[in-house]
Amino acid sequence: MPELLLFLHNFFQTLQLVCRMANFKEYKTLNLPEIDKEILQFWETQKIFDKSVNQRSLDNSFVFYEGPPSANGKPGIHHVMARTIKDVFCRFQTLKGKRVERKGGWDTHGLPIELSVEKELGITKEDIGKKISVDDYNKACRETVLRYKDLWDNITQQMGYWVDLENPYITFENNYIESVWNLLKKLYDKNLLYKGYTIQPYSPAAGTGLSSHELNQPGTYKDVKDTTIVAQFKMLKNEQSAAYFKGAEEGEVHFLAWTTTPWTLPSNTALTVGPKIDYALVQSFNQYTHKPIQVILAKGLVGKQFSGKYEAAENQNDLNNYQPGDKKIPYFILKEMKGSELVGIKYEQLMPFALPYENADQAFRVIPGDFVTTEDGTGIVHTAPTFGADDAMVAKKAGVPAMLVLDKDDNPVPLVDKQGKFRPEMGDFAGKYVKNEYYKNPPEKSVDVELAIKLKEENKAFKVEKYAHTYPHCWRTDKPVLYYPLDSWFIRATACKERMYELNKTINWKPASTGEGRFGKWLENLQDWNLSRSRFWGIPLPIWRNEDGTEEVCIGSIEQLQQEVEKANAALGLNQSVPDDLHRPYIDDVVLVSPSGKEMRRELDLIDVWFDSGSMPYAQWHYPFENEEKFKRNFPADFIAEGVDQTRGWFYTLHAIATMVHDSVAFKNVVSNGLVLDKDGKKMSKRLGNGVDPFATLDKYGADATRWYMISNSPPWDNLKFDLAGLDEVRRKFFGTLHNTYSFFALYANIDGYQYGEENIPLEERSELDRWVISLLNTLVKETEGHFADYDATPATRKIQNFVNDQLSNWYVRLSRRRFWKGEFTKDKKAAYQTLYECLLTVTKLMASVAPFYADFLYKNLTDKGSGFKESVHLEDFPEVNDNYINKNLEQQMDYAQRISSLVLSLRKKEKIRVRQPLGKILLPVLDEGFKNQVEKVKDLVLAEVNVKELEYITETEGVIKKKIKPNFRTLGRRLGPNMKLAAQTLGKFGQNEIAELEKAGGFDLNLPDGSVERLGLEDVEITSEDIPGWLVANDGPLTVALDVTMTDQLLAEGTARELINRIQNIRKESNFNVTDRIAISIEKHEAVESAVSLFGNYICNETLATDLQLMENLTEGQNVSLATDVDIKMNVVRREG
RNA sequence: GCUGAUGUGGCCAAAUUGGUUUAAGGCACUCGCCUGAUACGUGAGCGAUUAGUGGUUCGAAUCCACUCGUCAGCACCA
């Protein structure tokens, strides 16, 4: 009886017994979402997360920081991505024995929350304090912040993200705020906090400054046409500038400077030139007044500015012929100079409406600036420090004052007020809006146009024209934004720039380019951190000042505030107390007293919400007021991960605060993941409707398939093109195959009553196949551990997948099947079980961090009835590598077997010979003994796999192998260098004889062009077999296989017999016979089957459990069967009773 | 505009960091295979001047320069 049927026989005999003693649960289908639910419940009831953390010792921590999401918005699929990465490495470290506490957190402040509240209440910022009290407004914010907390909790749970949501830090809580205040106080004490006047985007129409975030809303930059002026600034004569006045008509020389915002011209206090730029002194005539002029501008822009009416003159004398009204105006370059030569020259104020209230003598001169380009304009930049950030910067550096005048309260203010109107100092222009858009009924001529006319009349305008460019607009009012100086509190980040840069070098960035590039460059060009936000819902700046700003106090704790309040109460006769809620408006009511006895009120600003989140390492523990030990144990973080968009957000704020306050990094390793795009690579957006619902995805595909897909598809720092088809593939290919492999194991293990815990059969007593797969397994463990430890999970998942699919399932199990069928529980069978079991069990641990649900499911199925196991795979230790088990030789052997099989199958396919047809032999050219020995060990596997009778080695002595030779580039390249080409050519021309000679001599002398001789040894060349003339041959790299397709009668008959068996078995199955039923077979007499029946009758009967097989003429009953093309026969199969 | 990443068959993607793997593998496609744990499986096949151009080198998908495309960040300033 063939093995299979024997096995089936046993199977049914023992079925009942088996059912009772089944150790391993069997499943019909794989339902990942179902498994998710089951495992989720298990984790919850058994508190597996807690156990996984608490079973590890406190002094072996791996510190992770959770970047707090805002629960004000719904979670998206990209959050699943980011959190998968966090989870993977935290789980991995847990398996490696680390204690990984993960405190969750919520970001609760900030603009998005204010916006959504305003939208819901149907109000705008202006209404706050009017239509709605600040008090009510803040209450509404507080209620909104955790609006979607449930959804977040759900996604967290459903995706299997382990984070402590029981005790999260929440940024609006007083404890959190107190810690933040403490940090601010420390910065204040280090003199790193100051109030400054800077140029910020400001919307006069809305009366508020705008953050860069607001300015980057879609649609804020619009194309506009503005009146632009190239103005003439009259140079003053002194020692330095005297040279430029030689021969100047009327003794006037002008600088030309261009502006797209003429309304800033009255505020001009400097002209900026590029020190390295070449400038030219040009003689010509003004096109509006026709007066002779001599002007200075960048040499490279002369042609651009002197275009249209202007025409280059041959020589200076041509200029004398010019008459006003001539069509062409001549110009001539008199002199050239470097920008650096111009620096320091003074000029006459262009529009003398006012003077800076301080250091006016330092104004109106030429200063250097690196930002000056010669792309457009004149290469000389009109500089109004009150209305340009660059302007303010270079002016400050050069000691040039800004155009600030004193208002009626003696406060310095710019010439434009906060409504966007010119101040009274501006004479005829006073009270006019600087942008026509600010008027309800705009006048015909804008301020820009009027200024242009005025300058033209005064011979101060060189050119006036319309210019199209993009300009930022307030996203709320749609009106243009002004760059306007505002009072703000700053953190002097620039003071710690170098230290931040140094510390950053010690951080392991994934990918490295983000750390060096995006983050490194950012640190190099670091600006002071503008902390101020004039908003309502956020952490209030804890600084109180007296009215003139001469006295101030920075509060660093509630206790200090308490003391100050008491002091103030005593001094001022008040009865205040520290408010229960540290937010506005309550905190604004607190009045403190200065050392000199004056009232101090809080600076009304809130702080940037980014400071909130950057404070989390300290504030999450309410440090330093509590938990000092805990904080010390958890600082800095070993690992954080967020999207790249956090580079200048959270990553920076963490780094900055840690550097400035603790002179330390905040994190040692950071993974910044890319965006999640739709399958076509487009950004997901509500507008396009191409977003992927994370809940629906998890419901349908399960968390593991989603996570596995995200990690394995591409390195997380590349953008991920999220395609549901990919999820499906992962589910089918990886999880499906793994599940089937387990099912196979469970099926037979239960039948045999296999149980783990039996004595392990020593590896050396197991078969080649077993030792091979164990070797691969150990290699896999080694490699995956390396990848995970290096925060690079993608190759780990790919290797696990390859192992499971191609090696374990499709090779080991397939080739081992017969061992599992065998009736008796032999040692070999036991070895097979143990091997497969060990592979599966190890795989659960390797995959557990990426696919926590299925891994645990499988682990539990494998270990349920065993002893000495953990409750969950997540309480396990990562597998240890056993280097002794790794046998590269064995891996090589099996690789040969797989490739030879594949080559033979490919040849069969080409010749259209099906595998069922046995063939005589395979010829394998052997170039060295080692190869032969390796193949010999897997010979039987190969022959069985490809249904060939024998494998014959042919060696060179037989002279039938056609060989190919090529140089070993790796060894030779370094030695030969430029002569490499010669070597390749020479070897390329080698015929069979030359190759044979080289082999015999063990080398070859290569004559080099310089007359010297280089000896090439055998290790310097690669000789492969290429062909066996007269045979059917296929190659795969160095492997060559020939197949003997000669068909003997014997082989043909056997092939036909196997075809017959196949058809008979089909009939058995169609007829619903029991697998143990005996049958009788009648076959219509046909010459195609005669020899098969006569030679292999017994074989056919054995395989089909037939007791009788006859060839009959004129068979009347039975069915028609197609045996081969053109061979149709009739066959009758009947069940034998009894 | 500036900076950075990226560009490999229709699609997703490898390539030990410069040493010809025949430029891997998968999906899709074509042609096979249901007695065998998997047809949500499996075998074979088709399909690529590695975006383009130039350079460095004995040797380039890999390094350099430029161009083009995609994405992101930073600007929009006279």
Side-chain angles (χ1 to χ4, degrees):
Chain A
M1 195 183 277
E3 280 168 11
L4 171 68
L5 289 177
L6 188 72
F7 154 73
L8 287 170
H9 186 69
N10 292 342
F11 180 99
F12 286 104
Q13 278 191 337
T14 54
L15 193 59
Q16 288 180 322
L17 186 68
V18 164
C19 285
R20 258 188 287 122
M21 57 181 287
N23 282 317
F24 301 98
K25 267 192 210 154
E26 294 175 40
Y27 301 85
K28 280 195 192 79
T29 52
L30 172 64
N31 186 338
L32 289 174
E34 202 56 44
I35 291 172
D36 286 0
K37 280 183 203 147
E38 190 185 304
I39 296 293
L40 216 46
Q41 191 169 4
F42 160 68
W43 288 347
E44 204 159 306
T45 52
Q46 300 306 316
K47 302 198 182 327
I48 302 298
F49 175 38
D50 288 348
K51 288 178 187 168
S52 80
V53 174
N54 292 327
Q55 73 172 4
R56 306 299 188 186
S57 121
L58 274 170
D59 50 23
N60 190 20
S61 282
F62 179 82
V63 181
F64 165 75
Y65 290 161
E66 164 79 337
S70 167
N72 173 247
K74 295 182 186 175
I77 195 77
H78 55 289
H79 294 112
V80 176
M81 175 83 202
R83 306 176 122 213
T84 298
I85 294 164
K86 298 177 188 185
D87 196 50
V88 164
F89 297 110
C90 287
R91 282 181 189 265
F92 169 72
Q93 294 293 343
T94 302
L95 292 176
K96 287 299 294 173
K98 299 281 185 181
R99 183 184 180 91
V100 190
E101 291 171 8
R102 296 94 127 173
K103 192 176 176 75
W106 298 109
D107 190 15
T108 58
H109 286 138
L111 188 67
I113 290 153
E114 295 195 7
L115 290 181
S116 67
V117 164
E118 285 159 30
K119 201 173 159 192
E120 273 158 42
L121 299 178
I123 58 166
T124 65
K125 279 259 147 43
E126 289 90 281
D127 297 328
I128 301 165
K130 294 173 194 162
K131 283 189 192 168
I132 179 172
S133 69
V134 178
D135 193 355
D136 288 341
Y137 179 80
N138 275 11
K139 267 190 193 132
C141 286
R142 186 181 284 262
E143 282 159 16
T144 307
V145 287
L146 294 176
R147 150 142 347 145
Y148 295 114
K149 183 173 177 297
D150 285 351
L151 281 183
W152 279 89
D153 286 349
N154 289 348
I155 201 87
T156 303
Q157 214 178 38
Q158 204 180 339
M159 68 168 285
Y161 177 43
W162 272 358
V163 63
D164 179 7
L165 290 176
E166 305 288 310
N167 311 293
Y169 62 92
I170 299 174
T171 58
F172 73 54
E173 289 180 343
N174 278 358
N175 279 351
Y176 198 94
I177 294 176
E178 190 183 18
S179 287
V180 171
W181 280 5
N182 182 264
L183 289 168
L184 289 168
K185 166 80 167 159
K186 281 176 180 149
L187 292 174
Y188 182 88
D189 290 343
K190 290 186 179 189
N191 192 28
L192 292 172
L193 212 55
Y194 68 95
K195 190 169 192 177
Y197 209 46
T198 60
I199 313 302
Q200 294 166 34
Y202 173 78
S203 171
T208 171
L210 298 173
S211 67
S212 59
H213 168 254
E214 287 167 300
L215 217 52
N216 280 325
Q217 298 263 336
T220 49
Y221 281 91
K222 297 184 187 184
D223 287 319
V224 292
K225 260 192 173 177
D226 276 328
T227 302
T228 67
I229 300 178
V230 177
Q232 299 179 178
F233 292 80
K234 191 170 160 190
M235 186 190 279
L236 294 178
K237 196 169 178 178
N238 66 8
E239 234 168 76
Q240 188 189 359
S241 62
Y244 306 118
F245 285 83
K246 268 185 199 157
E249 297 278 348
E250 298 182 13
E252 286 191 10
V253 179
H254 291 97
F255 292 105
L256 293 187
W258 181 55
T259 181
T260 55
T261 51
W263 58 268
T264 62
L265 286 171
S267 300
N268 172 283
T269 55
L271 292 172
T272 308
V273 296
K276 289 176 190 155
I277 297 174
D278 290 315
Y279 290 87
L281 176 64
V282 180
Q283 184 175 350
S284 187
F285 300 88
N286 184 286
Q287 60 175 318
Y288 306 115
T289 63
H290 309 293
K291 288 188 179 171
I293 48 170
Q294 294 195 89
V295 296
I296 289 176
L297 71 161
K299 187 185 155 198
L301 288 162
V302 169
K304 208 168 173 182
Q305 286 300 333
F306 286 88
S307 58
K309 284 185 192 170
Y310 287 96
E311 190 175 54
E314 298 279 314
N315 58 58
Q316 203 175 349
N317 292 335
D318 284 1
L319 296 172
N320 298 332
N321 303 328
Y322 172 75
Q323 297 292 326
D326 283 0
K327 270 188 186 150
K328 289 289 180 183
I329 308 175
Y331 71 92
F332 185 75
I333 296 180
L334 294 174
K335 198 177 170 67
E336 291 180 15
M337 73 280 325
K338 286 281 180 194
S340 51
E341 297 172 49
L342 299 171
V343 170
I345 297 178
K346 304 207 76 173
Y347 62 90
E348 186 181 293
Q349 187 179 10
L350 186 74
M351 309 192 91
F353 288 103
L355 284 175
Y357 79 104
E358 56 180 12
N359 302 329
D361 56 321
Q362 289 298 312
F364 316 121
R365 55 192 171 93
V366 177
I367 59 175
D370 292 333
F371 65 93
V372 180
T373 66
T374 54
E375 270 161 34
D376 45 25
T378 63
I380 300 175
V381 176
H382 147 59
T383 303
T386 43
F387 302 117
D390 275 342
D391 305 36
M393 201 178 68
V394 288
K396 194 177 172 193
K397 209 170 168 185
V400 170
M403 182 60 77
L404 293 168
V405 296
L406 296 178
D407 70 2
K408 60 181 194 311
D409 300 323
D410 281 344
N411 292 319
V413 291
L415 288 178
V416 176
D417 66 19
K418 287 203 166 183
Q419 281 77 51
K421 287 190 292 218
F422 275 128
R423 285 184 47 79
E425 286 82 357
M426 286 296 296
D428 291 348
F429 293 93
K432 291 186 177 175
Y433 283 107
V434 299
K435 289 274 180 190
N436 255 13
E437 287 88 342
Y438 300 154
Y439 286 102
K440 271 191 184 133
N441 301 305
E444 197 182 324
K445 288 192 178 108
S446 69
V447 159
D448 287 347
V449 173
E450 285 193 55
L451 283 166
I453 293 170
K454 183 175 162 69
L455 290 173
K456 277 182 187 174
E457 287 166 359
E458 293 172 357
N459 190 33
K460 286 174 177 171
F462 176 77
K463 190 187 269 184
V464 175
E465 58 187 8
K466 291 277 183 186
Y467 179 77
H469 64 147
T470 58
Y471 195 83
H473 289 66
C474 172
W475 58 279
R476 204 159 60 226
T477 61
D478 251 3
K479 303 280 168 81
V481 158
L482 299 184
Y483 287 86
Y484 197 87
L486 295 172
D487 260 339
S488 293
W489 283 88
F490 286 87
I491 293 176
R492 209 182 302 279
T494 45
C496 303
K497 191 163 141 180
E498 276 74 33
R499 188 64 184 144
M500 284 191 216
Y501 191 80
E502 274 170 40
L503 285 170
N504 179 43
K505 285 193 198 150
T506 68
I507 297 172
N508 176 32
W509 282 82
K510 286 281 169 178
S513 63
T514 300
E516 286 158 22
R518 189 174 288 206
F519 196 64
K521 291 265 164 58
W522 163 253
L523 291 179
E524 274 177 47
N525 303 314
L526 202 64
Q527 303 294 317
D528 281 348
W529 180 353
N530 186 345
L531 253 195
S532 293
R533 296 294 123 104
S534 36
R535 307 201 185 286
F536 301 94
W537 178 241
I539 297 183
L541 189 69
I543 294 176
W544 273 256
R545 274 192 160 194
N546 67 357
E547 203 173 350
D548 61 10
T550 51
E551 292 175 291
E552 65 187 27
V553 61
C554 179
I555 299 295
S557 68
I558 291 173
E559 193 189 340
Q560 187 194 355
L561 183 60
Q562 181 66 42
Q563 287 165 3
E564 292 293 332
V565 162
E566 281 163 17
K567 224 160 83 185
N569 284 350
L572 305 170
L574 296 171
N575 185 24
Q576 3 170 45
S577 54
V578 174
D580 292 337
D581 179 353
L582 299 177
H583 284 90
R584 294 185 74 183
Y586 322 104
I587 195 72
D588 297 344
D589 297 336
V590 174
V591 179
L592 301 183
V593 65
S594 75
S596 68
K598 290 192 187 122
E599 273 190 11
M600 295 196 294
R601 296 197 172 268
R602 198 183 71 80
E603 291 285 290
L604 280 181
D605 294 337
L606 299 182
I607 64 161
D608 182 4
V609 281
W610 286 111
F611 196 95
D612 293 18
S613 52
S615 306
M616 63 69 63
Y618 329 92
Q620 68 173 337
W621 304 116
H622 193 210
Y623 174 83
F625 307 103
E626 286 181 71
N627 296 318
E628 177 148 0
E629 274 307 302
K630 219 165 198 169
F631 167 71
K632 285 191 171 149
R633 213 167 55 231
N634 286 290
F635 184 85
D638 287 297
F639 166 63
I640 60 171
E642 299 291 332
V644 266
D645 50 319
Q646 294 298 339
T647 307
R648 281 158 195 197
W650 193 51
F651 294 160
Y652 169 64
T653 59
L654 278 177
H655 188 64
I657 295 173
T659 304
M660 290 188 289
V661 178
H662 288 266
D663 190 36
S664 161
V665 295
F667 47 89
K668 297 176 186 163
N669 299 284
V670 50
V671 176
S672 74
N673 62 278
L675 299 172
V676 180
L677 308 169
D678 77 358
K679 67 185 168 72
D680 299 318
K682 290 199 195 75
K683 214 170 174 173
M684 290 187 187
S685 72
K686 275 184 193 146
R687 187 170 54 81
L688 293 172
N690 60 349
V692 173
D693 177 7
F695 293 100
T697 307
L698 293 176
D699 283 342
K700 181 164 179 198
Y701 297 95
D704 286 342
T706 309
R707 293 168 58 123
W708 194 272
Y709 168 75
M710 287 176 151
I711 295 294
S712 67
N713 188 63
S714 55
W717 38 87
D718 279 350
N719 290 343
L720 172 68
K721 290 176 189 164
F722 191 86
D723 188 357
L724 290 176
L727 287 185
D728 203 42
E729 193 183 318
V730 164
R731 182 181 59 175
R732 274 198 345 257
K733 281 209 110 62
F734 177 61
F735 290 100
T737 308
L738 182 57
H739 192 68
N740 274 325
T741 308
Y742 166 74
S743 301
F744 173 84
F745 169 81
L747 177 68
Y748 293 108
N750 287 339
I751 289 164
D752 283 324
Y754 168 79
Q755 269 177 314
Y756 196 70
E758 291 175 33
E759 201 181 333
N760 250 327
I761 296 173
L763 193 71
E764 55 277 14
E765 289 171 32
R766 299 193 200 181
S767 73
E768 290 272 302
L769 199 61
D770 291 341
R771 282 186 286 129
W772 163 75
V773 80
I774 293 292
S775 171
L776 281 188
L777 182 71
N778 278 278
T779 303
L780 180 70
V781 170
K782 198 176 200 167
E783 289 178 349
T784 46
E785 177 173 352
H787 292 309
F788 280 129
D790 189 34
Y791 300 95
D792 195 1
T794 305
T797 51
R798 287 178 176 166
K799 282 173 181 169
I800 294 170
Q801 194 164 328
N802 173 272
F803 175 79
V804 167
N805 284 3
D806 297 339
Q807 311 301 342
L808 184 63
S809 163
N810 204 24
W811 194 257
Y812 179 77
V813 171
R814 196 151 56 91
L815 298 193
S816 302
R817 277 180 315 214
R818 280 185 183 264
R819 298 163 69 196
F820 291 95
W821 295 341
K822 272 182 207 157
E824 310 87 59
F825 200 46
T826 59
K827 188 171 169 187
D828 180 61
K829 188 172 189 176
K830 202 186 267 181
Y833 277 123
Q834 287 184 354
T835 304
L836 182 53
Y837 185 89
E838 189 178 338
C839 287
L840 287 171
L841 191 66
T842 304
V843 164
T844 65
K845 298 174 196 169
L846 298 182
M847 70 189 283
S849 29
V850 182
F853 292 99
Y854 189 79
D856 215 11
F857 167 81
L858 186 52
Y859 178 85
K860 283 156 59 58
N861 276 312
L862 288 169
T863 60
D864 241 7
K865 298 275 160 52
S867 58
F869 293 109
K870 299 282 166 43
E871 197 179 358
S872 158
V873 72
H874 303 291
L875 304 178
E876 272 282 358
D877 290 322
F878 199 82
E880 295 281 335
V881 183
N882 191 333
D883 275 311
N884 295 331
Y885 288 179
I886 297 179
N887 181 342
K888 289 294 164 195
N889 209 23
L890 210 50
E891 293 183 16
Q892 176 76 64
Q893 273 171 33
M894 204 55 81
D895 184 57
Y896 283 142
Q898 291 173 343
R899 285 159 68 187
I900 292 169
S901 301
S902 170
L903 285 171
V904 174
L905 290 173
S906 129
L907 286 169
R908 296 188 81 113
K909 178 85 178 176
K910 211 172 274 165
E911 294 302 305
K912 298 202 161 88
I913 303 171
R914 46 183 46 172
V915 182
R916 239 179 250 136
Q917 173 64 54
L919 289 174
K921 70 178 168 192
I922 299 168
L923 295 184
L924 195 62
V926 175
L927 298 178
D928 70 279
E929 278 301 301
F931 172 69
K932 182 179 171 182
N933 290 338
Q934 285 187 306
V935 174
E936 188 60 25
K937 297 216 170 104
V938 293
K939 178 178 146 184
D940 293 335
L941 286 179
V942 174
L943 292 178
E945 193 60 18
V946 299
N947 195 18
V948 176
K949 297 293 174 201
E950 66 178 295
L951 190 155
E952 188 180 317
Y953 303 99
I954 39 178
T955 54
E956 50 198 324
T957 52
E958 287 152 67
V960 290
I961 309 171
K962 196 175 158 206
K963 291 181 185 169
K964 196 169 75 177
I965 188 164
K966 73 176 180 186
N968 183 342
F969 286 88
R970 213 180 277 250
T971 62
L972 274 182
R974 208 163 293 137
R975 241 161 69 204
L976 292 180
N979 291 318
M980 190 65 223
K981 216 166 220 165
L982 180 73
Q985 265 171 9
T986 311
L987 291 175
K989 285 185 196 139
F990 267 32
Q992 297 303 307
N993 291 339
E994 282 97 339
I995 296 176
E997 269 174 44
L998 185 150
E999 285 182 301
K1000 200 181 286 170
F1004 169 74
D1005 290 320
L1006 181 69
N1007 296 310
L1008 299 179
D1010 64 3
S1012 65
V1013 171
E1014 183 75 31
R1015 176 79 179 172
L1016 309 190
L1018 281 176
E1019 68 284 357
D1020 295 325
V1021 295
E1022 282 171 42
I1023 299 173
T1024 51
S1025 55
E1026 186 184 24
D1027 195 12
I1028 307 168
W1031 291 79
L1032 199 55
V1033 164
N1035 295 82
D1036 176 14
L1039 277 181
T1040 302
V1041 170
L1043 184 61
D1044 184 354
V1045 293
T1046 319
M1047 215 73 80
T1048 61
D1049 289 344
Q1050 179 88 11
L1051 289 173
L1052 271 174
E1054 187 180 342
T1056 308
R1058 290 183 64 155
E1059 295 292 339
L1060 282 172
I1061 292 167
N1062 169 265
R1063 303 306 185 276
I1064 295 162
Q1065 299 287 24
N1066 282 346
I1067 294 171
R1068 283 186 64 115
K1069 197 177 166 195
E1070 283 163 26
S1071 316
N1072 288 324
F1073 292 176
N1074 270 328
V1075 280
T1076 48
D1077 286 342
R1078 305 284 149 147
I1079 56 169
I1081 308 165
S1082 320
I1083 302 174
E1084 184 185 22
K1085 203 164 181 162
H1086 189 292
E1087 58 177 5
V1089 298
E1090 268 177 50
S1091 57
V1093 172
S1094 63
L1095 289 170
F1096 293 96
N1098 281 339
Y1099 174 58
I1100 296 172
C1101 290
N1102 268 338
E1103 289 290 322
T1104 59
L1105 288 189
T1107 51
D1108 191 34
L1109 171 64
Q1110 291 180 19
L1111 285 178
M1112 295 176 68
E1113 311 264 3
N1114 304 324
L1115 191 63
T1116 47
E1117 283 175 272
Q1119 41 200 131
N1120 289 315
V1121 173
S1122 171
L1123 205 58
T1125 10
D1126 301 333
V1127 183
D1128 294 305
I1129 56 165
K1130 189 165 260 187
M1131 193 185 273
N1132 191 30
V1133 177
V1134 292
R1135 179 159 34 188
R1136 272 294 176 88
E1137 300 305 328

